[in-house]
Amino acid sequence: MGRPPCCDKEGVKKGPWTPEEDILLVSYIQEHGPGNWRAVPTNTGLLRCSKSCRLRWTNYLRPGIKRGNFTDQEEKMIIHLQALLGNRWAAIASYLPQRTDNDIKNYWNTHLKKKLRKSQSNHHQQSSRSDGFTSSPSSPENHSSSSRGQWERRLQTDIHLAKQALCDALSSMDQKTSNNNSLPDLMNTTSKISLHSNPKEGQTASSIYASSTENIARLLQGWTKKSSKKEQSSSLCSTREVDYDHEQKPKISSDHQFTNNEAFQSLFGTIESSESPYSDFSQAVSPEASFFEHESKPLCDGGRGTLSVLEKWLFDECSIQHCGPQSQDQDLIDMPLQETADFV
DNA sequence: AACGAATCCAACCGCCCACGC
DNA sequence: CGCGTGGGCGGTTGGATTCGT
């Protein structure tokens, strides 16, 4: 019943990805860009289905992904957005540019659900004692009984997403016209964004780049380590050796952002020298700064020239959403539910 | 040290929608 | 308009890891 799977199950590998597979995928996307996932397995020789490739890329290898513990801000934001949007993880993830929907979903299911259940039961106990009317907007069950219909919330989210997509498209168009991202420009943009970031978190926009750089660079490091081991002894069986466990879950911290530049040079250098249409990407500080930027969540460029009214409107929205996470998060969190639903 | 329970999270599955023909 | 296909999304699973006894 239903449509057949995206790929025939025979000869399709499942389970955890090996560093070699990751390298293949990353280098392919590096050359051809993300998309046309159907062609990826055949062109790379990966014994994976296209879906698996896409998932691996979007949930793990894609630049700009922040891994590790969720901050209080993020947690509150997720709770609030979940109350507002329900289990629309992709929509929620669009408000948390560094997190994947899968990550948020997992975090919700493993941490926040329990947390809220606990706090709710505490609430119930308190309210039954005091006989007071207490209603937490964050409660997962509560959102369904909200006066606003689900369809309305959905519509609002969709409008927001549409705006964001347009914003994304405009910024990438803008990028194409001025794609000679010089280092100072990049640093400028980065520092602009950083201005709005929470210094306490130490997770500035620049570390968005850093995190993805690190993701892939660590990967490469593991791989190079491994291949050198291979050279020494050809009997390496498990890719989980050579500390790949740790490579798979790189701890992100801003103080060792570019430690693995050499590893990058080794891979991206070769691509640069090839006839890749993205060969100018090595000019940037980090690979994804130029090549992958279109793939990352939109970052607003403050240095635009003349803007149409529409663009202005969009970019105002964007700057609120992406360039000022601290203030925006706080606003969103502090906002009552009704108000939050109106921010489109 | 050994074992089972609990927890985490990457990956898979199936459904849905958009798009091209 | 109907069909086939690719891609996106949310729910679920299962292996790995951590915790408690």
Side-chain angles (χ1 to χ4, degrees):
Chain A
M1 292 294 261
R3 45 176 299 214
C6 64
C7 44
D8 49 349
K9 303 241 173 188
E10 283 172 34
V12 174
K13 198 182 162 196
K14 283 186 178 184
W17 280 65
T18 64
E20 285 89 350
E21 289 175 314
D22 282 340
I23 296 288
L24 273 173
L25 183 60
V26 168
S27 53
Y28 177 82
I29 293 169
Q30 166 67 31
E31 255 182 293
H32 300 92
N36 195 11
W37 294 106
R38 188 85 173 171
V40 173
T42 45
N43 290 347
T44 56
L46 282 166
L47 299 172
R48 298 276 182 174
C49 80
S50 56
K51 253 185 177 181
S52 186
C53 294
R54 182 175 56 81
L55 234 58
R56 181 64 179 169
W57 172 255
T58 53
N59 286 337
Y60 201 89
L61 299 171
R62 180 170 61 89
I65 293 175
K66 180 176 149 191
R67 312 201 69 82
N69 296 337
F70 280 70
T71 64
D72 281 352
Q73 288 289 330
E74 287 173 320
E75 195 176 299
K76 283 175 191 169
M77 191 137 174
I78 292 166
I79 291 168
H80 206 94
L81 287 167
Q82 204 281 340
L84 181 68
L85 304 168
N87 293 357
R88 303 193 60 214
W89 305 117
I92 292 170
S94 72
Y95 291 88
L96 294 156
Q98 300 171 40
R99 302 290 188 180
T100 67
D101 52 355
N102 207 34
D103 231 9
I104 292 170
K105 183 172 59 184
N106 279 333
Y107 190 67
W108 173 265
N109 287 330
T110 55
H111 293 89
L112 298 178
K113 241 183 184 174
K114 279 181 229 156
K115 223 177 187 180
L116 286 172
R117 215 175 287 154
K118 255 188 189 175
S119 69
Q120 216 189 4
S121 64
N122 288 346
H123 249 238
H124 273 296
Q125 282 178 348
Q126 282 186 347
S127 61
S128 62
R129 253 182 265 139
S130 63
D131 200 32
F133 177 71
T134 53
S135 166
S136 163
S138 311
S139 91
E141 284 77 25
N142 203 34
H143 78 269
S144 56
S145 59
S146 162
S147 59
R148 282 176 182 268
Q150 187 81 27
W151 67 269
E152 199 176 347
R153 273 198 295 270
R154 204 183 169 96
L155 180 65
Q156 282 169 340
T157 321
D158 289 344
I159 292 166
H160 164 74
L161 289 173
K163 281 164 78 174
Q164 193 170 317
L166 190 52
C167 174
D168 200 4
L170 283 170
S171 58
S172 69
M173 268 174 62
D174 190 50
Q175 228 171 51
K176 278 179 186 168
T177 57
S178 60
N179 66 344
N180 287 331
N181 247 345
S182 64
L183 186 63
D185 281 346
L186 188 72
M187 300 298 272
N188 197 23
T189 313
T190 311
S191 61
K192 267 183 204 162
I193 296 160
S194 302
L195 273 175
H196 299 281
S197 302
N198 185 359
K200 277 182 193 168
E201 306 298 339
Q203 184 73 39
T204 64
S206 59
S207 60
I208 296 172
Y209 295 139
S211 66
S212 51
T213 304
E214 195 160 303
N215 279 352
I216 303 166
R218 276 169 173 264
L219 186 80
L220 288 165
Q221 196 183 38
W223 181 67
T224 47
K225 265 190 211 168
K226 191 183 166 225
S227 38
S228 64
K229 269 197 177 179
K230 260 184 182 169
E231 280 164 21
Q232 287 165 7
S233 80
S234 57
S235 61
L236 186 72
C237 46
S238 169
T239 54
R240 292 272 167 181
E241 291 170 22
V242 298
D243 292 342
Y244 189 71
D245 267 345
H246 307 292
E247 319 304 341
Q248 285 234 331
K249 295 173 185 174
K251 296 278 179 283
I252 306 309
S253 81
S254 54
D255 51 6
H256 55 291
Q257 295 176 8
F258 303 114
T259 46
N260 297 301
N261 260 356
E262 290 157 35
F264 264 116
Q265 298 284 332
S266 67
L267 174 67
F268 298 124
T270 56
I271 289 157
E272 183 200 350
S273 62
S274 73
E275 307 252 322
S276 163
Y278 307 103
S279 57
D280 62 337
F281 106 104
S282 65
Q283 291 169 3
V285 172
S286 63
E288 66 269 32
S290 60
F291 174 76
F292 289 128
E293 198 158 345
H294 73 280
E295 174 67 11
S296 306
K297 302 283 171 102
L299 291 167
C300 291
D301 177 14
R304 294 176 67 83
T306 52
L307 293 171
S308 69
V309 177
L310 177 64
E311 276 180 305
K312 266 188 179 170
W313 172 65
L314 285 166
F315 277 95
D316 283 351
E317 287 280 313
C318 251
S319 61
I320 290 165
Q321 285 157 18
H322 297 292
C323 300
Q326 169 65 15
S327 57
Q328 165 70 3
D329 290 3
Q330 199 54 54
D331 288 351
L332 191 69
I333 289 155
D334 294 340
M335 218 185 276
L337 185 57
Q338 284 287 56
E339 232 178 284
T340 324
D342 286 338
F343 72 84
V344 178

